[in-house]
Structure formats: structure tokens, C-alpha cells
Amino acid sequence: MLNKIQKIALLAFGILAMISCTNEIDDLKPINQDTADEVFQDPASYRSFLAKIYAGIAVSGQQGPAGNPDINGLDEGFSNYLRLYWMLQQLTTDEAVIGWNDGTIKDLHYQNWTAGNEFISTMYSRIFYQISLCNEFIRQTESDKLDARGVDSDLRAQIQTYRAETRFMRALSYYHALDMYRNVPFTTEASEIGAFLPAQTNAQDLFDYIEDELIAIDSELVNAGENEYARADKAAAWMLLSKLYLNAEVYVNTPRYTDARLTVEKVINSQQYTLEPNYEYLFLADNHQSNEIIFPIAFDGLNTQSFGGMTFLCHAPIGGDMSPAEFGVNGGWAGVRTTSAFVEKFPGMANSSDTRELFFTEGQSLEINDISNFQDGYAIAKYRNVDRNGNPGSDPSGDFPDTDFPMFRLADAYLMYAEAHLRGGGGDMSIAVGYMNELRERAYENNSANITASSLDLNFIINERAKELQWECHRRTDLVRFNLFTENGIWPYKGNVPNGTTTASFRDVFPIPTSDISANPNLTQNPGY
């Protein structure tokens, strides 16, 4: 299987090398169609290629946990897709700070990054590595190629489903590109193979492309809740499309809140998903049992090993007086914690009965005087490599967790419905209030914190999203949508000021890496950089 996936990775090189020049692509060589046909002589190679595409957002290379990376230029643990995405979505906000001194990592929270920031550049490279894999799979499964290889009807039917899933995964990465970088180089399976410089798309065209792709594959994806665990189905595509619509006013200056509400209703009304009764169970080593999670990034302590992903999210928030054994790991990395601005989202925290309040406070100060000192700032004890009974995950070393990352879950769908309604997207206020109260009844374990329609406004939504979805890669996008990320939001050490300050609005979007701007004359830098 590993040898098969290594060969498969070679197929993507032709486009990849031209899309991103930021990082050196490791051990990839252009190969011709004869080599591709050789790879696909084994019918199982199609499923293996699909596995590589899903693995692309979980692991960092061709072997675990490190040693044969997909891309070079940054430590392999740091270069992991999920780890980078989490850092850009969380460290730039009030929800997370990091005490390490690796390169320009602190600039993310300070919001003083440049176009040369290696973490922003490597996220960009990761996105386009992923897109190149998807393009190549789609190219290699066109009807004429399947005909030439004599693929039978049963396998061909499976491949059509694989193609739809691959188009979803490509749309997901292009959504990340749109959300973070806006105006990016654009390629599909129809693009040239080999040495060429891709043209730059714009936000409107990329938005339209993602929307069209997600609508087109709807009939080809497996029904909601009926695919293998951690593979995309209709509901995953609906969630992504809902997010695209919810942020449309930010991306293309056109409100699409009715479309957001109608699309997320499909997820809710599918009746395939229910809230996990215990909030903390969503973030444990056996969270694959939860019926709330719509689309996860799957991890396995024995078979999906990486120093990014959930290994990072289980180890990096542990330090000080925290006990690694209680988290099912062999040690903490003493890096990530939160700011007092986020702690204040939980009023009366000392007596809080909100089970989403997961702060570890023993030996930790509320305020941050020294950002490099782990014990300055409360820790957040969210992700654990133990199951519901307290048993540690499958890796006996305690290095690599079984905990999956919940990229899309039902609680987010409820929150999106309510927000879309408040923004003029139609629907029913009583339904929106009901969804919010379902979340709060779980959080408080009773109805003591239930709200009425008079309390449901956009300020409630942004605060409820912070509490419910903390550290799940939503916060930066949410703050931008609410106009609270740069000009109007203040939290400790934002702007590299202990008490925080506002920053310029151009930082709502990250820069195109300097190295790509230099290498590709078709690209124009985002404003402000």
C-alpha cells in the first residue's frame, strides 16, 4: 500500500511544481502516461489514490510520522495541513496564543506578519499540493482512460463516487484558498501538465467555481450519513456550500444568507445527525462514535502518525501543572493556551456551569505578562487521547492520538441557521431559538441558561460560536465575517501590544507568498502587502 501511494504521489508533480514555488517538492519527478497506466493496472490503486487525498489533510508525507515529506522548506511537523490551518485560524485570534519562538510563529498572534511568513507560505503550498493531487486523480479517471484500461462496470461505478469525493476535497481546499488568500493561481484537471505559470483567479470567479462544483457533485455523492466514516457525503458538501454562502458578503460583496439557510437546512433535515449528549465526548479518542460529527479528519495512533494534526492539538496545549497521563499522552509541549479576552466569554467563570468552559487554571495566570511562558494565560483542556472510560488511545508510546478532528458538526449547522436567519436569510425565529437552546441545554445540562427571541442577536451568535466551536478552526473566519478581526477587535498581544490594539483591515486576508509573486509574473499581491 505504501509503495502504491508513493507512486501515486508522483503523478501530481507536473502541476504542483508550477503552482507553488514556496517550498521544494520532495522526491517528486514528472512521469508520463505510461507510468500512470502502470500504477492503475491494479484496480485497488484508485482507492489508494483516494486514500492519499484524504490523508493529505491529516499527515505530512509518505511515511509516518516523518522522514519522507510531501513538501520541504519547513519542519515536517509544522508543515502538516491541519496544523497549519489551525494555526492560521486560531493563533491569529483571541482564542489562542503560543509561547514558542520558532521562526515567525508569534507574528501570527501579533498580526504583524509579512508576505515572507513561512507558516502562511507553507499553508498556501499545502493547499495547492492537495489541489494538484485532486486534479491528477480526476485526470486519470476520465472515461477515455478507464476505457483504455478496460475498467469493468462495477469498478467504474465506484470510481465515479471517488471522483465526486475528490471534487469535494478540491472544493474544500479551494474554499480555504478563497477564505485566506482570495486571489490565487487556479488550475483544474483541464490545465496543462508540465512547466507553465498558472493565471491568477479572482474572488468572484473562485467563489462561482466552488459553488458550481459543490452543486454538480450533489447527485453523485453518497447520501448523508451513509458513506464510510471520514469520507465525504452529501451532508459534507452541504456544510461546505453553506459556509461559502454564509461568508459570501465578505468574499464577493453579495449577501447569500437565504442560500446559506436553505442549504444548511438540508443537513439538519436529513435527520442523520444528533447532538452528542456530552460535549466533551466530541473531543476524545473514541469520538468516531459520535453521531454529531458530519465530516472529520480521521486519525489513528498506530496507522495515521504525524507530528502535526491531532498530535499537535493533544500535546501542544499541555504544560505547567497539567498531567499528560490524564490526556492519554506521554508529555506536553507547553505551547498553546488562551487569552483573558476569550476567558471573559464565560462570565462568572469561577462558578460556571457551562461544560464548554474547559480551562485549566491551576498554576496558570489569567493575564499574559510573558507570552513565552506557558503558565501565563489559562490552558484549554479540550482535546484528549483517552476514550469515554478514561482509557488511553491505541499507541502504547503515548505519542500519537486516536482523536479525530471534527471539521463539520451539527452544532455548527444549528449556529449557521440562526445566524443566516438573523442576517435576513429567512426561516423561523422560533426554530433558531430552539436550536440555540438545544446547544445551551447540553452545555448547562439543564434549561437554566435557555434564551428567548429577545436575546438572540448577532452579538449572541458570535459569542456562542466562540464558546461552542473554540479551537475548531472557525474563529478567524467568524471574526472577519463579524468585522471584529482587525479594525474593531482588541485582545491581549494583538498588534504586539500587551493589552492589544487594532490592526489594519488588509490583514483580513493573508498575503500571496513573496516567492510565488517573484516566480510567477501572472500573480499580483493582495493589497497592503
Side-chain angles (χ1 to χ4, degrees):
M1 176 69 76
L2 176 61
N3 184 55
K4 200 177 298 176
I5 291 176
Q6 287 173 328
K7 288 181 178 179
I8 285 165
L10 299 177
L11 301 178
F13 175 75
I15 292 176
L16 174 64
M18 289 300 102
I19 291 178
S20 179
C21 304
T22 302
N23 293 321
E24 177 188 349
I25 308 306
D26 188 61
D27 292 333
L28 296 183
K29 301 176 182 178
I31 63 173
N32 58 30
Q33 186 58 43
D34 290 339
T35 308
D37 289 336
E38 178 186 345
V39 169
F40 289 111
Q41 283 180 358
D42 181 356
S45 291
Y46 296 99
R47 184 178 172 89
S48 297
F49 201 144
L50 181 67
K52 172 61 181 174
I53 290 167
Y54 281 112
I57 58 176
V59 299
S60 53
Q62 307 305 314
Q63 66 183 43
N68 190 4
D70 293 326
I71 58 177
N72 276 343
L74 190 65
D75 173 84
E76 189 172 346
F78 275 111
S79 73
N80 171 271
Y81 195 116
L82 175 57
R83 180 167 171 173
L84 287 163
Y85 185 54
W86 190 93
M87 289 166 57
L88 268 58
Q89 288 288 86
Q90 298 295 158
L91 291 180
T92 56
T93 77
D94 56 344
E95 285 191 1
V97 298
I98 196 163
W100 302 339
N101 292 307
D102 299 86
T104 60
I105 196 168
K106 287 181 178 174
D107 292 350
L108 297 177
H109 190 78
Y110 296 158
Q111 289 198 10
N112 63 2
W113 55 76
T114 70
N117 183 285
E118 65 269 37
F119 302 99
I120 293 171
S121 298
T122 310
M123 180 75 253
Y124 177 94
S125 297
R126 263 287 161 199
I127 286 171
F128 289 104
Y129 176 81
Q130 189 72 7
I131 289 168
S132 72
L133 288 178
C134 295
N135 285 343
E136 189 60 27
F137 181 84
I138 295 167
R139 185 180 295 115
Q140 293 297 333
T141 53
E142 297 286 4
S143 293
D144 60 335
K145 289 187 170 60
L146 300 182
D147 290 341
R149 295 175 193 142
V151 174
D152 65 40
S153 59
D154 289 342
L155 179 56
R156 190 180 291 254
Q158 293 177 37
I159 290 170
Q160 295 313 303
T161 301
Y162 297 166
R163 282 170 61 88
E165 292 178 47
T166 299
R167 291 170 71 182
F168 166 82
M169 293 297 288
R170 181 174 61 182
L172 177 66
S173 286
Y174 266 132
Y175 171 78
H176 293 156
L178 174 66
D179 181 65
M180 292 190 284
Y181 303 96
R182 292 290 194 277
N183 309 297
V184 295
F186 179 75
T187 65
T188 70
E189 71 277 10
S191 299
E192 297 178 55
I193 299 175
F196 79 104
L197 298 174
Q200 187 172 28
T201 190
N202 58 62
Q204 184 66 66
D205 287 348
L206 187 53
F207 182 100
D208 292 344
Y209 173 79
I210 297 167
E211 179 185 21
D212 290 347
E213 280 289 281
L214 292 172
I215 291 171
I217 62 176
D218 183 73
S219 62
E220 300 172 9
L221 288 167
V222 173
N223 289 336
E226 295 183 10
N227 209 344
E228 285 184 89
Y229 179 76
R231 285 176 58 186
D233 58 17
K234 291 182 190 294
W238 295 332
M239 284 293 289
L240 183 55
L241 187 56
S242 299
K243 289 188 173 295
L244 184 72
Y245 290 145
L246 191 65
N247 291 286
E249 192 166 14
V250 172
Y251 300 154
V252 295
N253 201 32
T254 302
R256 299 287 297 274
Y257 300 114
T258 299
D259 290 323
R261 191 261 306 171
L262 290 171
T263 307
V264 84
E265 277 185 331
K266 294 180 181 180
V267 178
I268 298 168
N269 294 340
S270 73
Q271 299 184 331
Q272 291 296 310
Y273 308 98
T274 56
L275 291 184
E276 173 61 55
N278 186 316
Y279 179 77
E280 292 187 53
Y281 286 179
L282 287 162
F283 316 108
L284 299 182
D286 55 354
N287 61 348
H288 61 278
Q289 297 182 31
S290 175
N291 200 44
E292 180 173 340
I293 297 175
I294 296 165
F295 182 68
I297 302 177
F299 288 85
D300 181 281
L302 299 178
N303 299 306
T304 315
Q305 296 184 346
S306 167
F307 289 114
M310 293 308 298
T311 303
F312 167 73
L313 289 177
C314 286
H315 286 268
I318 300 173
D321 296 334
M322 302 171 79
S323 169
E326 293 182 6
F327 293 80
V329 297
N330 57 15
W333 296 355
V336 184
R337 63 260 194 227
T338 194
T339 73
S340 58
F342 179 65
V343 174
E344 290 165 2
K345 304 292 181 191
F346 295 85
M349 196 209 73
N351 300 308
S352 174
S353 56
D354 189 338
T355 59
R356 300 170 299 186
E357 184 270 288
L358 299 172
F359 303 121
F360 184 93
T361 62
E362 184 179 346
Q364 305 287 132
S365 64
L366 173 62
E367 300 296 343
I368 299 172
N369 295 310
D370 178 1
I371 204 166
S372 295
N373 179 5
F374 179 82
Q375 292 184 285
D376 278 18
Y378 285 176
I380 293 182
K382 180 161 184 169
Y383 297 106
R384 297 173 183 259
N385 183 37
V386 294
D387 66 18
R388 302 176 186 202
N389 298 313
N391 302 309
S394 60
D395 175 21
S397 74
D399 279 328
F400 306 108
D402 292 337
T403 314
D404 299 333
F405 182 79
M407 178 164 280
F408 299 148
R409 59 185 178 92
L410 183 62
D412 189 14
Y414 283 178
L415 287 157
M416 287 195 290
Y417 178 96
E419 182 180 342
H421 170 72
L422 290 171
R423 292 187 184 274
D428 188 291
M429 173 62 84
S430 64
I431 292 175
V433 170
Y435 289 154
M436 296 305 93
N437 285 338
E438 284 190 52
L439 298 182
R440 292 174 74 80
E441 286 174 16
R442 172 175 64 184
Y444 290 86
E445 301 180 318
N446 56 49
N447 63 5
S448 63
N450 282 17
I451 64 167
T452 61
S454 62
S455 298
L456 183 54
D457 57 19
L458 289 176
N459 186 62
F460 175 90
I461 292 292
I462 187 61
N463 289 326
E464 200 70 8
R465 286 188 67 84
K467 290 183 283 189
E468 179 67 34
L469 302 172
Q470 59 185 283
W471 284 21
E472 294 180 49
C473 294
H474 298 284
R475 187 60 170 169
R476 176 194 148 272
T477 302
D478 288 350
L479 289 175
V480 170
R481 187 171 66 257
F482 281 78
N483 195 24
L484 295 171
F485 184 63
T486 52
E487 292 180 308
N488 297 305
I490 295 177
W491 51 82
Y493 284 92
K494 180 184 174 184
N496 198 14
V497 175
N499 291 325
T501 188
T502 57
T503 55
S505 62
F506 73 83
R507 294 190 183 277
D508 286 346
V509 178
F510 292 119
I512 305 297
T514 298
S515 53
D516 267 28
I517 294 291
S518 299
N520 186 349
N522 295 325
L523 304 182
T524 300
Q525 184 57 276
N526 288 327
Y529 293 105

